[in-house]
Amino acid sequence: MVVDAAMASKLLFLRKLPRLLKPLPLPLSSSYSIRRLRLLPLEASRTGTNRWSPAARNFCSRPLNLADGSQGPAAIDYRSVLQEDEFHRLANSTIHNLLEKLEEYGDNVEIDGFDVDYGNEVLTLKLGDLGTYVLNKQTPNRQIWLSSPVSGPSRFDWDQNAQTWVYRRTKVDLLKIFESELEQLCGEPINLS
């Protein structure tokens, strides 16, 4: 059996491919950087041969410089992070309360396509052409996430002192955001407290 040089090169590459695709262990550092990647195949010009060259990339998240006056997230006090069962109790209570009040609100407003749905721990509020709200729990972070057609995505943490879910960047209450945005969109006030 005669094998030409191009075929031999491809066979060699295919034999080495499983080793190249194995994930590398990440270094235990807080800089989130990857210092080196495995050898990557680089195509030679038009000769049809393959060359192997070490490729190095440095992907690094730099710390935020908040000294310039820009607003960033408030620091997390990890002593106040909720236990998982307490998180579920508070989040479920909030979501079920919202579900009931939004269903009542739907009876008072005349919006084509108004629909409230709760399934798989996700609350969806459809306002027809006005947009859709999606609210769900993020257990690993102990947060409630909201996707809003008005304000975009937000992540809310439980504020023990205020006894409510608060967006750390702006200190705004989840229920207050819903109240103000729904009144803005639908023209009818709503009280979610």
Side-chain angles (χ1 to χ4, degrees), residues 97-128:
N97 181 44
L98 270 171
L99 176 62
E100 288 177 17
K101 297 218 177 181
L102 291 172
E103 285 175 341
E104 290 172 17
Y105 185 68
D107 295 337
N108 298 328
V109 294
E110 297 292 326
I111 295 179
D112 289 336
F114 188 99
D115 184 40
V116 182
D117 181 49
Y118 180 69
N120 296 325
E121 298 190 329
V122 176
L123 176 67
T124 306
L125 172 62
K126 295 179 183 175
L127 300 173

Side-chain angles (χ1 to χ4, degrees), residues 50-178:
N50 288 333
R51 293 186 188 170
W52 291 88
S53 170
R57 299 281 192 270
N58 186 12
F59 301 97
C60 181
S61 294
R62 307 261 189 266
L64 292 174
N65 182 7
L66 299 177
D68 60 3
S70 63
Q71 186 177 11
I76 298 174
D77 180 5
Y78 286 99
R79 295 171 295 178
S80 67
V81 172
L82 298 171
Q83 294 298 316
E84 187 170 344
D85 58 339
E86 179 72 1
F87 164 75
H88 285 294
R89 186 183 67 74
L90 292 166
N92 288 339
S93 172
T94 301
I95 291 171
H96 289 280
N97 181 44
L98 270 171
L99 176 62
E100 288 177 17
K101 297 218 177 181
L102 291 172
E103 285 175 341
E104 290 172 17
Y105 185 68
D107 295 337
N108 298 328
V109 294
E110 297 292 326
I111 295 179
D112 289 336
F114 188 99
D115 184 40
V116 182
D117 181 49
Y118 180 69
N120 296 325
E121 298 190 329
V122 176
L123 176 67
T124 306
L125 172 62
K126 295 179 183 175
L127 300 173
D129 294 336
L130 300 174
T132 300
Y133 285 88
V134 178
L135 185 81
N136 65 311
K137 298 189 307 186
Q138 291 294 318
T139 303
N141 303 2
R142 308 296 196 265
Q143 294 176 326
I144 292 180
W145 288 8
L146 172 68
S147 175
S148 161
V150 176
S151 58
S154 305
R155 300 173 179 187
F156 296 85
D157 296 287
W158 180 252
D159 184 326
Q160 191 66 34
N161 296 331
Q163 293 290 298
T164 190
W165 296 94
V166 175
Y167 185 40
R168 288 188 306 132
R169 289 182 185 221
T170 60
K171 306 290 188 218
V172 176
D173 180 327
L174 169 67
L175 301 178
K176 298 295 181 205
I177 285 178
F178 257 116

